[in-house]
Each structure stands twice: as C-alpha cells, then as structure tokens.
Amino acid sequence: MNMTQQKSRTGYWMLFLVSLTVITLLLIFQPEAFWLALPTTVGGFAMAMDWI
C-alpha cells in the first residue's frame, strides 16, 4: 500500500468516526433524524475497510 492510499484510508476513518459521533448524538437527542447520518456512517466504514 503506497502513501496516497494510506492517506485516503485515514480520511475515510476520520469520516466514519465523525459520522458515528453525529449518529450517536442524533440517537440521543433527535431519534427521528437517525436516518440522515446512516448512509455516511455506513459508507465511510465500507471505504475505510477498503470494501469499495
């Protein structure tokens, strides 16, 4: 894995962690808005794991 791939995967992990935080806060304070952050969370995890 070269350096460019490592940097992009790091960015995807950061995207996943931020969206996971947002989805958790939405579940606590506004559960009906949970679905808004779900695609970003799942997509960020899939890209970070290099499944896409």
Side-chain angles (χ1 to χ4, degrees), residues 1-2 4-5 9 12 17-18 24 26 29 36 40 45 47-48 50-52:
M1 179 179 305
N2 61 26
T4 305
Q5 288 175 334
R9 286 187 68 191
Y12 292 142
L17 292 175
V18 168
T24 303
L26 282 174
F29 296 110
L36 296 174
T40 307
F45 182 70
M47 289 186 291
D50 202 24
W51 291 342
I52 295 178

Side-chain angles (χ1 to χ4, degrees), residues 11-28:
Y12 292 142
W13 277 113
M14 292 304 295
L15 173 70
F16 169 67
L17 292 175
V18 168
S19 62
L20 185 64
T21 303
V22 169
I23 206 168
T24 303
L25 291 172
L26 282 174
L27 277 172
I28 293 169

